[in-house]
Amino acid sequence: MILRIQTPIILAWFTVLLIGCAPKDKYLNEATGKATQEEIMQKWGTPRDQRTLSTGESVWVYRELWNLGHGAGDECHEYEVTFDMQKVLKRWRSISC
């Protein structure tokens, strides 16, 4: 009985994770070294957090929350994108939060 209840929840979690993350991951991979801060902001909006590193690079953080339903709670995912001094996407990473 417990396994039957948990299986749909687990499947829903993986589906949301794959569907939600894959387009952004693909976009960021293709945009690295090309996309500017302006282009990222046009596509994703204002970041949740912004900071400037001692190197002059800028780091922006975007957060996504998904309600998995069925009492499974929420899934949180962050994208940390780093821009060089010319405001071009230098690198990125995704983090579960």
Side-chain angles (χ1 to χ4, degrees):
M1 177 79 166
I2 293 174
L3 183 58
R4 285 186 209 161
I5 293 171
Q6 289 179 348
T7 300
I9 293 169
I10 292 168
L11 289 175
W13 182 82
F14 279 116
T15 301
V16 167
L17 190 61
L18 290 172
I19 291 171
C21 296
K24 283 198 168 136
D25 288 1
K26 182 179 181 197
Y27 171 75
L28 288 170
N29 281 332
E30 293 172 356
T32 299
K34 302 173 194 165
T36 64
Q37 286 179 341
E38 184 177 320
E39 292 168 333
I40 298 290
M41 188 161 314
Q42 285 177 356
K43 186 159 186 75
W44 289 1
T46 304
R48 180 180 198 274
D49 183 38
Q50 297 180 34
R51 64 185 183 278
T52 303
L53 304 177
S54 61
T55 60
E57 297 173 327
S58 300
V59 179
W60 291 3
V61 177
Y62 289 91
R63 178 176 282 187
E64 294 181 327
L65 292 172
W66 301 294
N67 184 312
L68 300 178
H70 304 290
D74 295 332
E75 173 65 24
C76 177
H77 201 78
E78 285 187 345
Y79 286 89
E80 185 179 272
V81 293
T82 303
F83 299 93
D84 62 21
M85 292 175 61
Q86 289 74 37
K87 300 182 179 183
V88 174
L89 178 61
K90 182 176 181 179
R91 66 181 172 275
W92 66 276
R93 67 182 183 143
S94 63
I95 309 160
S96 291
C97 46

